[in-house]
Amino acid sequence: GAVVSQHPSWVICKSGTSVKIECRSLDFQATTMFWYRQFPKQSLMLMATSNEGSKATYEQGVEKDKFLINHASLTLSTLTVTSAHPEDSSFYICSATPGTSSDNEQFFGPGTRLTVL
Amino acid sequence: EDKVVQSPLSLVVHEGDTVTLNCSYEVTNFRSLLWYKQEKKAPTFLFMLTSSGIEKKSGRLSSILDKKELFSILNITATQTGDSAVYLCAVNTGTASKLTFGTGTRLQVTL
């Protein structure tokens, strides 16, 4: 149980285009999903917290107009990188947590590797 | 600003050795500390620690938390090549399960 999937696994796109990444909880309802970014040989940096039916909460320094997050259902959150540039190339990982307790475990997706040419 | 620091950054050991990975933290609101193993993809959960002094064990891996000194250690005994990975420490600061991750320790186990 507690499986989180991401789609696509990897994507290469041209500079200036937009890319949508999906995060799905397959066997549980995720009231909260998190989006992280990981640069090579660095740790996971939280970008935003996504709650079903409400606006995402972005971390300091993350542009909300550039990284659009939609959490339209209890099993799906999407991250859209708008007008992507080479510096947006990174490994994007989502995680999902059931329930509303702050002690709930986060289950991680397999990640999406984005390369912007 | 919440901070999680891991040491060492990188480590190479021979198969069979025992290693200890360190994680120290400074956060305004502590709820739990978690250890993850990351190979090529997303992190996989190892342990969650909430109380000081209680060792959690899973096979050759064990971990303990010291809430007074604000650190945790992850021990791996009789290391195997399959233990090669990045080990991440994260602290749950209680704001809707938000995790602050450390820099990670890259472990390489050689034959």
Side-chain angles (χ1 to χ4, degrees):
Chain A
V3 178
V4 176
S5 71
Q6 278 184 244
H7 175 83
S9 300
W10 58 270
V11 56
I12 301 173
C13 69
K14 287 186 179 178
S15 192
T17 59
S18 293
V19 175
K20 183 188 279 190
I21 302 170
E22 292 184 351
C23 176
R24 290 181 188 273
S25 56
L26 298 185
D27 50 4
F28 66 98
Q29 293 189 325
T31 51
T32 305
M33 287 183 168
F34 301 88
W35 286 97
Y36 296 87
R37 182 166 52 183
Q38 186 176 34
F39 292 108
K41 297 192 178 180
Q42 293 188 27
S43 193
L44 278 72
M45 297 294 295
L46 180 65
M47 297 175 67
T49 303
S50 167
N51 292 298
E52 187 265 337
S54 63
K55 288 185 181 178
T57 304
Y58 290 82
E59 294 299 300
Q60 200 169 11
V62 178
E63 297 174 58
K64 61 181 180 183
D65 294 330
K66 180 166 183 64
F67 298 99
L68 300 178
I69 291 171
N70 185 290
H71 193 157
S73 79
L74 283 171
T75 58
L76 173 65
S77 175
T78 60
L79 168 69
T80 302
V81 183
T82 61
S83 186
H85 287 97
E87 58 265 29
D88 299 323
S89 299
S90 188
F91 192 50
Y92 292 87
I93 304 175
C94 74
S95 70
T97 182
T100 54
S101 167
S102 296
D103 296 323
N104 283 331
E105 184 181 340
Q106 287 187 31
F107 300 98
F108 285 85
T112 296
R113 187 163 300 283
L114 170 64
T115 302
V116 185
L117 301 176
Chain B
E1 186 187 330
D2 294 337
K3 197 161 62 169
V4 179
V5 177
Q6 291 183 246
S7 63
L9 290 178
S10 187
L11 192 56
V12 180
V13 299
H14 290 300
E15 203 172 42
D17 287 351
T18 294
V19 296
T20 299
L21 309 183
N22 303 291
C23 175
S24 63
Y25 60 91
E26 283 180 42
V27 300
T28 50
N29 182 25
F30 176 92
R31 289 197 72 95
S32 59
L33 184 145
L34 300 96
W35 283 97
Y36 291 89
K37 178 182 181 182
Q38 185 178 27
E39 294 174 89
K40 296 203 173 167
K41 291 196 172 180
T44 53
F45 173 79
L46 294 175
F47 298 110
M48 181 169 78
L49 303 154
T50 53
S51 303
S52 268
I54 299 173
E55 186 184 51
K56 292 230 173 167
K57 206 167 163 59
S58 175
R60 296 176 294 103
L61 278 67
S62 63
S63 183
I64 198 161
L65 172 68
D66 185 328
K67 288 168 77 172
K68 185 180 172 190
E69 300 297 328
L70 308 182
F71 78 92
S72 173
I73 59 171
L74 174 69
N75 273 322
I76 309 175
T77 59
T79 52
Q80 302 171 359
T81 54
D83 295 326
S84 298
V86 175
Y87 290 84
L88 295 167
C89 169
V91 174
N92 181 337
T93 55
T95 309
S97 300
K98 178 180 166 180
L99 293 180
T100 300
F101 279 85
T103 47
T105 293
R106 184 175 296 274
L107 173 66
Q108 186 179 349
V109 182
T110 62
L111 290 171

